[in-house]
Amino acid sequence: MIVAVGKTVLRFLQASTGETIGDYTFLREADTELPLHPEDVYDHFDGRILALDDHTWCLPVEPDMAIAPPERRADIESHLAWIVDRRFAWPLHWGRFDIWPDAATAVANLRTTSPDTEKLRQAVGETGG
């Protein structure tokens, strides 16, 4: 395995063939509006928003949902995993994980209560939906 490191890309290549096994872009930002006010994203959700590409944001809201275009489920599942104690992980498709197109829809469909869902409910309430 060859690991190539760029300014914002980490690429894994098969040494014998040169085939790209994994291509991970970080520090990417989408050129569209965030799903919540930037202050809410960075203050309440620790800035854990990620750009799926140059035009699409995904805001994971633990424990079981994200705000992103639902049709991007495959991309979201390739970026996120269920994590326990920062040591164990398994794919999202092994459990129930909801993806909502916007914050108001997410709040209207909350199935669980957690610190994150309460922060989301508060952020949506403050902006009027």
mmCIF file of all heavy atoms in Angstrom, residues 82-90:
data_model
loop_
_atom_site.group_PDB
_atom_site.id
_atom_site.type_symbol
_atom_site.label_atom_id
_atom_site.label_comp_id
_atom_site.label_asym_id
_atom_site.label_seq_id
_atom_site.Cartn_x
_atom_site.Cartn_y
_atom_site.Cartn_z
ATOM 1 N N TRP A 82 -21.063 4.233 12.819
ATOM 2 C CA TRP A 82 -21.435 4.194 14.229
ATOM 3 C C TRP A 82 -20.136 4.009 15.009
ATOM 4 O O TRP A 82 -19.355 3.115 14.717
ATOM 5 C CB TRP A 82 -22.365 3.023 14.518
ATOM 6 C CG TRP A 82 -23.685 3.092 13.825
ATOM 7 C CD1 TRP A 82 -24.007 2.552 12.618
ATOM 8 C CD2 TRP A 82 -24.860 3.738 14.304
ATOM 9 N NE1 TRP A 82 -25.315 2.823 12.314
ATOM 10 C CE2 TRP A 82 -25.869 3.547 13.326
ATOM 11 C CE3 TRP A 82 -25.166 4.467 15.446
ATOM 12 C CZ2 TRP A 82 -27.156 4.045 13.470
ATOM 13 C CZ3 TRP A 82 -26.447 4.959 15.589
ATOM 14 C CH2 TRP A 82 -27.417 4.759 14.612
ATOM 15 N N ILE A 83 -19.904 4.851 16.011
ATOM 16 C CA ILE A 83 -18.661 4.801 16.770
ATOM 17 C C ILE A 83 -18.996 4.613 18.245
ATOM 18 O O ILE A 83 -19.881 5.267 18.784
ATOM 19 C CB ILE A 83 -17.861 6.119 16.629
ATOM 20 C CG1 ILE A 83 -17.600 6.447 15.156
ATOM 21 C CG2 ILE A 83 -16.557 6.063 17.425
ATOM 22 C CD1 ILE A 83 -16.664 5.528 14.459
ATOM 23 N N VAL A 84 -18.256 3.732 18.909
ATOM 24 C CA VAL A 84 -18.409 3.528 20.343
ATOM 25 C C VAL A 84 -17.066 3.787 21.003
ATOM 26 O O VAL A 84 -16.070 3.139 20.662
ATOM 27 C CB VAL A 84 -18.888 2.092 20.661
ATOM 28 C CG1 VAL A 84 -18.962 1.880 22.168
ATOM 29 C CG2 VAL A 84 -20.237 1.829 20.013
ATOM 30 N N ASP A 85 -17.055 4.732 21.903
ATOM 31 C CA ASP A 85 -15.866 5.027 22.702
ATOM 32 C C ASP A 85 -14.623 5.287 21.857
ATOM 33 O O ASP A 85 -13.510 4.983 22.261
ATOM 34 C CB ASP A 85 -15.624 3.878 23.685
ATOM 35 C CG ASP A 85 -14.702 4.265 24.830
ATOM 36 O OD1 ASP A 85 -14.648 5.465 25.181
ATOM 37 O OD2 ASP A 85 -14.023 3.372 25.363
ATOM 38 N N ARG A 86 -14.816 5.824 20.647
ATOM 39 C CA ARG A 86 -13.720 6.139 19.728
ATOM 40 C C ARG A 86 -12.821 4.939 19.425
ATOM 41 O O ARG A 86 -11.698 5.084 18.993
ATOM 42 C CB ARG A 86 -12.884 7.309 20.233
ATOM 43 C CG ARG A 86 -13.655 8.605 20.299
ATOM 44 C CD ARG A 86 -12.717 9.736 20.677
ATOM 45 N NE ARG A 86 -13.446 10.969 20.765
ATOM 46 C CZ ARG A 86 -13.524 11.859 19.784
ATOM 47 N NH1 ARG A 86 -12.908 11.649 18.647
ATOM 48 N NH2 ARG A 86 -14.206 12.969 19.949
ATOM 49 N N ARG A 87 -13.348 3.718 19.672
ATOM 50 C CA ARG A 87 -12.529 2.528 19.457
ATOM 51 C C ARG A 87 -13.178 1.522 18.516
ATOM 52 O O ARG A 87 -12.493 0.766 17.862
ATOM 53 C CB ARG A 87 -12.254 1.847 20.800
ATOM 54 C CG ARG A 87 -11.416 2.688 21.721
ATOM 55 C CD ARG A 87 -11.270 2.101 23.100
ATOM 56 N NE ARG A 87 -11.008 0.681 23.072
ATOM 57 C CZ ARG A 87 -11.215 -0.106 24.099
ATOM 58 N NH1 ARG A 87 -11.707 0.368 25.222
ATOM 59 N NH2 ARG A 87 -10.947 -1.398 24.014
ATOM 60 N N PHE A 88 -14.484 1.475 18.499
ATOM 61 C CA PHE A 88 -15.175 0.465 17.712
ATOM 62 C C PHE A 88 -16.108 1.165 16.727
ATOM 63 O O PHE A 88 -16.722 2.161 17.068
ATOM 64 C CB PHE A 88 -15.997 -0.455 18.624
ATOM 65 C CG PHE A 88 -15.198 -1.057 19.740
ATOM 66 C CD1 PHE A 88 -15.297 -0.556 21.024
ATOM 67 C CD2 PHE A 88 -14.316 -2.099 19.499
ATOM 68 C CE1 PHE A 88 -14.556 -1.111 22.062
ATOM 69 C CE2 PHE A 88 -13.567 -2.644 20.525
ATOM 70 C CZ PHE A 88 -13.685 -2.152 21.807
ATOM 71 N N ALA A 89 -16.219 0.637 15.533
ATOM 72 C CA ALA A 89 -17.081 1.249 14.531
ATOM 73 C C ALA A 89 -17.704 0.167 13.656
ATOM 74 O O ALA A 89 -17.139 -0.906 13.481
ATOM 75 C CB ALA A 89 -16.287 2.228 13.669
ATOM 76 N N TRP A 90 -18.876 0.467 13.144
ATOM 77 C CA TRP A 90 -19.506 -0.398 12.162
ATOM 78 C C TRP A 90 -20.321 0.468 11.215
ATOM 79 O O TRP A 90 -20.648 1.598 11.535
ATOM 80 C CB TRP A 90 -20.351 -1.495 12.813
ATOM 81 C CG TRP A 90 -21.477 -1.017 13.664
ATOM 82 C CD1 TRP A 90 -22.771 -0.797 13.278
ATOM 83 C CD2 TRP A 90 -21.435 -0.701 15.057
ATOM 84 N NE1 TRP A 90 -23.522 -0.357 14.335
ATOM 85 C CE2 TRP A 90 -22.730 -0.292 15.443
ATOM 86 C CE3 TRP A 90 -20.418 -0.701 16.027
ATOM 87 C CZ2 TRP A 90 -23.039 0.095 16.730
ATOM 88 C CZ3 TRP A 90 -20.745 -0.314 17.316
ATOM 89 C CH2 TRP A 90 -22.027 0.068 17.647
#
